[in-house]
Amino acid sequence: MKRISKLIGTAIFSASFVSLLVASPPRSVAQGTIDGDRAQEAITRTDEVIAGAKTVVEESRSQKAQLSLQVANGLQLRAKQSFSARGFGMAYKLTTEAREEAWHAIALARSDAQFEQNNVRVADETRERIARLRDLMVESGVRDEQAMKLMEQSRNLLEKSRLNAQQLRYQIALKLAMNAEQLAIRAEEHIRNTRAIKEAAERRLALLERL
């Protein structure tokens, strides 16, 4: 009877021990299987992405992208330090984060480059519109004070846009240029309406003279 009880107790202990192993796998299994070769391969890949990001960021002159690239370089440095200390799991984690940050820097650089291009286009088109409006006023003999005020406000916004672009604040510069464009469009509507009224009045005067 005692032998049977002892066997039962041993069986219960063995089952409990197996359950514990299943619930809590060994440390090496829980941490994954990041070996030196895999960590080194990941670090090399991140070095390539960071090198590409550096070219894109330098071409864009984006301050936000530059800061993001600095973060990527810092993470990559820590990854290499962990690799040297044979902390392959940590090295892999850090280099993966560095690579993601480098991709983020590329996205920021391309976004700011697009803002810069759009700002140049909108600002140039607005300046050309204002120049055409001045010519239109001279040719038609129209003097619209409200339109002239809107044109002056538009020029002021274009100047602010230029200054922000010089300081690499392309999103703000583009917004200012777009606002300037809207003011110029409103000025054009005023001038055309005033011109239409002037031409209608001239036709009426001509008709009265014939009568």
Side-chain angles (χ1 to χ4, degrees):
M1 190 67 177
K2 290 182 179 180
R3 178 179 176 80
I4 294 174
S5 299
K6 185 176 181 181
L7 289 174
I8 292 174
T10 301
I12 293 173
F13 174 80
S14 299
S16 299
F17 183 72
V18 171
S19 299
L20 181 62
L21 289 176
V22 172
S24 304
R27 183 180 178 84
S28 60
V29 176
Q31 290 185 341
T33 55
I34 304 299
D35 57 17
D37 289 341
R38 186 177 178 188
Q40 182 61 66
E41 181 181 352
I43 288 173
T44 300
R45 173 57 182 151
T46 301
D47 279 338
E48 295 171 354
V49 175
I50 288 177
K54 182 180 179 181
T55 300
V56 175
V57 170
E58 287 177 349
E59 290 176 353
S60 74
R61 301 182 301 166
S62 169
Q63 292 179 331
K64 292 182 295 184
Q66 290 173 6
L67 291 174
S68 181
L69 186 57
Q70 288 177 9
V71 172
N73 281 320
L75 289 168
Q76 182 71 340
L77 177 60
R78 290 172 55 196
K80 291 178 178 180
Q81 290 171 343
S82 293
F83 182 86
S84 296
R86 303 190 64 79
F88 301 135
M90 180 57 67
Y92 184 86
K93 176 179 180 296
L94 288 170
T95 197
T96 300
E97 293 175 359
R99 194 183 314 156
E100 291 175 354
E101 192 66 37
W103 281 119
H104 182 57
I106 291 173
L108 289 172
R110 288 175 175 170
S111 176
D112 274 3
Q114 188 64 49
F115 277 115
E116 181 181 13
Q117 293 172 8
N118 289 340
N119 175 64
V120 171
R121 175 182 57 79
V122 173
D124 286 347
E125 290 175 354
T126 303
R127 291 189 184 93
E128 291 176 2
R129 185 187 295 273
I130 292 174
R132 288 197 303 269
L133 291 179
R134 286 198 303 265
D135 293 342
L136 180 61
M137 291 177 69
V138 172
E139 292 171 2
S140 60
V142 171
R143 182 175 178 82
D144 189 314
E145 295 295 335
Q146 182 62 27
M148 293 174 65
K149 182 179 179 180
L150 290 169
M151 290 165 62
E152 182 62 24
Q153 292 174 348
S154 178
R155 283 192 289 266
N156 290 338
L157 287 180
L158 286 175
E159 178 61 17
K160 291 180 181 179
S161 173
R162 185 184 68 82
L163 293 174
N164 275 277
Q166 285 182 343
Q167 297 172 13
L168 310 182
R169 295 198 290 258
Y170 298 121
Q171 293 187 40
I172 297 175
L174 177 59
K175 184 176 181 179
L176 289 167
M178 293 176 68
N179 289 339
E181 180 184 39
Q182 291 304 311
L183 289 174
I185 290 172
R186 288 172 56 192
E188 184 175 12
E189 292 173 352
H190 272 278
I191 293 171
R192 293 192 182 283
N193 289 338
T194 302
R195 183 182 181 185
I197 293 171
K198 180 177 180 292
E199 291 174 350
E202 289 173 346
R203 287 194 297 269
R204 286 175 180 270
L205 288 173
L207 179 61
L208 287 173
E209 288 176 358
R210 287 198 298 269
L211 293 176

